[in-house]
Amino acid sequence: MFDNALFIGFPYVAVAIAIVVSIYRFWFDPYSYSSQSSQFLESRVLFFGSVPWHYGIIIILLGHITALLFPGLWGLFTANQTRLYILEIVGLSLALMATVGLVLLLYRRMANARAHAVTSEMDWILLFVLLLQVGLGFWVAYYYRWGSDWYLHTAVPWLLSLLKFQPNIASVSALPFWVKFHFVGGFVIILLLPFTRLVHLLAYPFSYLWREHQIVIWNRSRMN
Ligand code: HEM
């Protein structure tokens, strides 16, 4: 019963709220679709936090999504022991890199008075939830080895069943507490998306990928 609420009810509610509120916000407050920059207040720690955090987490999440979308190919890849070892080591290193970056970003907002002043309650909540989720991911990957393989037989069938609107939690209900905590945490982050600066994910300038490149031409005579 409790598992049904956590692994069926909550994911659907979280995604529905995230979609409705994101559309509402885009419609009525489009200029708020951003992660308001504080770079001009402090830029050095920002750089050393932001770069490892973003590279680490983006690659890890791409891994989560690729395994979900192409379970067959992912299974073939992890069937080889050497490749599985490499995947685990790369995953753990990226998780460590992302965690260090995130801790620096948190530290910066705590220690720098100017960055602290522009940090909202929702920013704090988001930063702590992300830290918890990434920490849990690391914990799960470290203590329940070969997650890049068992992910295919636990998370993937459950997530696909949700996507097909034929929810089935048989593959996740017997998992250890910390693994379940991490899985549900993924949907907590989806829920937070439209209420926090995470909304900038939806505002990434994707059109840069296909728009015509710009040619910059001097429009005045050069002085020297
Ligand atoms: C429903 C959503 C999610 C599921 C089912 C899931 C599942 C998993 C699993 C099974 C692992 C272990 C992989 C391994 O041992 O290599 C893992 C690792 C990890 N996850 Fe998630 N996750 C979800 C969402 C997220 C989100 C939203 C984040 C971050 C914002 C995240 C961050 C991490 C990190 C940092 C690791 C450790 C990286 C690694 O060693 O591969 N996960 N996740």
Side-chain angles (χ1 to χ4, degrees), residues 57 60-61 64 88 91-92 95 130 133-134 137-138 140-141 147-148 150-151 155 158-159 182-183 186-187 189:
I57 202 62
I60 286 172
L61 290 181
H64 281 53
E88 294 278 309
L92 281 172
L130 284 174
Q133 179 68 356
V134 173
F138 185 80
V140 166
S148 33
W150 57 251
Y151 177 89
W158 162 59
L159 291 170
H182 182 72
F183 287 14
F187 286 95
I189 289 172

Side-chain angles (χ1 to χ4, degrees), residues 147-170:
S148 33
D149 187 48
W150 57 251
Y151 177 89
L152 292 179
H153 314 288
T154 54
V156 170
W158 162 59
L159 291 170
L160 289 180
S161 80
L162 292 179
L163 280 171
K164 290 182 202 153
F165 294 104
Q166 291 163 351
N168 183 345
I169 60 166

Side-chain angles (χ1 to χ4, degrees), residues 87-104:
L87 208 57
E88 294 278 309
I89 293 168
V90 170
L92 281 172
S93 317
L94 287 169
L96 203 61
M97 188 169 114
T99 311
V100 171
L102 193 55
V103 168
L104 275 178

Side-chain angles (χ1 to χ4, degrees), residues 73-81 83-84 87 148-149 152:
L73 279 179
W74 192 271
L76 276 179
F77 189 80
T78 55
N80 175 291
Q81 209 179 33
R83 288 198 297 253
L84 185 61
L87 208 57
S148 33
D149 187 48
L152 292 179

Side-chain angles (χ1 to χ4, degrees), residues 42 48 103 134 181:
E42 193 289 325
F48 287 108
V103 168
V134 173
F181 199 173

